Amino acid sequence: VQLQASGGGAVQAGGSLRLSCAVSRSIFSISTVAWYLQAPGKPRELVARITTGGTPNYADSVEGRFSISRDNANNTVYLQMNSLKPEDTGAYYCSASYQTKGWKTNNYWGQGTLVTVSS
């Protein structure tokens, strides 16, 4: 199983970026996929997630600015980030999780992609 995150970069406040998370075909259709932010010196926090049915959820801090979507044809989840703020700076990680028939939760992580927002 592999998750490949990409799309990070450096932008000025108010700018936009789109992150991509390519997920292994073997688990994509059964997985809830999420994006987490690990800001410098802080723990990893949930930013947004999207269920297998396409229902999104957002952290209060990004509601109305970020949009998560999934492309089932290409096994990819996107995070469109608009109106970026300096506090959005950090490493963004994507994860995919699903429950097995035995109710065990399997969770996989991709590598981080760095976002830097300057004021």
Side-chain angles (χ1 to χ4, degrees), residues 34-107:
W35 285 98
Y36 289 78
L37 165 63
Q38 185 156 22
K42 294 186 178 181
R44 198 172 294 187
E45 297 182 339
L46 178 67
V47 173
R49 64 184 169 197
I50 188 164
T51 67
T52 56
T55 300
N57 295 103
Y58 301 96
D60 290 344
S61 60
V62 306
E63 184 79 53
R65 299 188 297 121
F66 290 12
S67 177
I68 190 169
S69 61
R70 61 192 296 154
D71 179 348
N72 293 330
N74 292 300
N75 305 316
T76 300
V77 167
Y78 301 101
L79 184 68
Q80 178 66 43
M81 306 189 295
N82 299 325
S83 303
L84 282 161
K85 303 176 180 180
E87 50 263 43
D88 297 321
T89 293
Y92 284 76
Y93 296 87
C94 62
S95 76
S97 61
Y98 64 92
Q99 282 191 324
T100 68
K101 291 182 179 179
W103 298 104
K104 173 188 173 185
T105 298
N106 287 342
N107 191 60

Side-chain angles (χ1 to χ4, degrees), residues 15-38:
S16 298
L17 284 172
R18 189 177 79 157
L19 305 184
S20 299
C21 177
V23 180
S24 292
R25 182 182 301 273
S26 61
I27 66 165
F28 181 80
S29 66
I30 61 173
S31 294
T32 290
V33 180
W35 285 98
Y36 289 78
L37 165 63
Q38 185 156 22

